[in-house]
Structure formats: structure tokens, C-alpha cells
Amino acid sequence: MLRARRRWRPGPGRGRRGGRERWTDPRSGRFRRARGLRAALAAGGERPPYVLVGASWGAMIAELFARTDFPKVAALVTVDGASPYLRDTLTAAQWSDWMKKIAATDTGKGAEVPDYEASVAEIRRAPALPRPLPAVVLTSDRPWDLGVGTSGSTWPAWLAAQDRLARGLHARHVTETGSGHGIAVERPRLVADAVREVVERARDGG
């Protein structure tokens, strides 16, 4: 029997005491957000193996969990997911403009403020998957944009990062989704079908 459990959107951000928070704790080397997901699954009484489904920046948490707790993960689906590859596919100007845009949202009043630079660096230092998992990467095909600066559209960079993510995961890459960034909202059946696919592959041994 397949059970589903929804996890909050895990963007790294400002903690209640202020200051930027990363997915990892530099003092212990442990992955905070992956650890939080692990704790939530345990608290909910869920037992491995898990099929992880991550949308947008949640895809980075799902991949990170799989890389740091591989024996507990059966399969992976990313839904127009972000990845560390964006650091390479965006131009230097686009990345800089994006970081400035994020920094400008820091009002000092406890709002969530991502620290993508540090998070990407930590994720890149995570162990690689010891072997490929059954995986599907769903990518939007209706252009959208991060809306940063005047250095051009970020859409091509997003698509390039999606390609690299799919290759890195050895995943089936679905590029004809008929959807913008919110695939889970616009095409929920497509996401459900991807989940069923990886579950069946996992049950069949990959």
C-alpha cells in the first residue's frame, strides 16, 4: 500500500531569533532541512523506504535527503525542481541580481530570507548517490522567469539546470508538461502518474 504525506515548503530562511538559516549546520556538518524531513516522517509514523516528491526548492531537500540517507529512499520525483546547477546555468549577472533581490526582502522582522549561496555550496559537498534511483524529473514548458535585473530572461538557464538535474539523477525527463512552474497545481495527474511510475519501478527492482 502506498501512503502519501505532505511536507511544508522547506525553503531555508530566517529563524525566529533572526539571522540567515541554511539547510546545513556548519558546526556539525549535518543537514538541517533533510534532518527536519527525517524527523517529520518519524513523527508521522512513516517507515522507509520512502518515495520523495519535491517541488521547486523542495526538490533540493528531496535530493539531499536521498544523498544523505540513501538506504531509506526507494525513488525520487522532482516537480520543476531547483538544483545547485542553477549556480552554473544562470549568468554571473543573473545570479548576482537574484541574490540582491533576495537580500532586499530581509526586513529584519523575522521573514524567511533564503541563503542560497551557502546552501548550494553545502549540497555540492554532500555524498553522491551510490547508485541511481528510480527517478522522474518534471519540467515546466510554459516560460516563467525569476524576474531579476536587466540581464535577460532566466528561463533558458532554468531549462538547462533541469537537463543537468535529470542527467545527474539518471532520471526520465518529462519536458512536455503543459504547465508553468506550478505543475502540481496545474497538472496534478501528471505528478501522480510520475509517482506511480517510480513506485512500480522500485517494486520491480529499479
Side-chain angles (χ1 to χ4, degrees):
M1 181 175 67
L2 180 65
R3 288 159 51 98
R5 182 167 293 272
R6 185 172 180 265
R7 170 72 167 157
W8 71 88
R9 186 177 184 273
R14 173 183 293 278
R16 284 178 292 179
R17 296 183 180 178
R20 289 194 172 190
E21 183 182 28
R22 293 189 286 180
W23 285 320
T24 58
D25 186 336
R27 293 169 297 179
S28 66
R30 299 187 67 182
F31 298 92
R32 287 179 177 171
R33 296 295 175 172
R35 187 173 57 196
L37 176 56
R38 191 177 300 117
L41 289 167
E46 303 299 336
R47 296 179 179 179
Y50 305 121
V51 176
L52 302 179
V53 183
S56 193
W57 285 98
M60 296 179 77
I61 302 301
E63 181 185 358
L64 188 60
F65 186 102
R67 290 166 64 176
T68 56
D69 226 339
F70 182 79
K72 295 182 180 179
V73 179
L76 180 64
V77 175
T78 68
V79 186
D80 214 31
S83 75
Y85 300 118
L86 279 169
R87 185 66 179 85
D88 303 322
T89 60
L90 290 168
T91 67
Q94 287 173 331
W95 182 264
S96 176
D97 288 342
W98 193 23
M99 296 304 101
K100 290 176 183 176
K101 181 177 180 178
I102 292 169
T105 66
D106 188 354
T107 62
K109 297 180 180 179
E112 194 173 70
V113 181
D115 190 353
Y116 291 134
E117 284 274 18
S119 297
V120 165
E122 293 289 349
I123 290 170
R124 283 179 164 172
R125 287 197 288 268
L129 293 173
R131 63 179 184 277
L133 288 166
V136 172
V137 169
L138 300 174
T139 297
S140 56
D141 58 4
R142 292 179 181 171
W144 63 280
D145 199 272
L146 293 172
V148 295
T150 58
S151 51
S153 173
T154 59
W155 172 245
W158 185 267
L159 294 182
Q162 289 285 290
D163 283 337
R164 290 183 62 178
L165 176 62
R167 291 198 302 270
L169 294 175
H170 302 279
R172 186 171 77 86
H173 192 184
V174 180
T175 57
E176 295 182 3
T177 54
S179 177
H181 186 51
I183 298 174
V185 175
E186 298 177 44
R187 297 292 307 281
R189 184 176 295 276
L190 191 64
V191 178
D193 288 345
V195 173
R196 291 190 186 97
E197 175 187 328
V198 296
V199 168
E200 290 174 1
R201 287 167 54 192
R203 286 173 174 167
D204 291 340

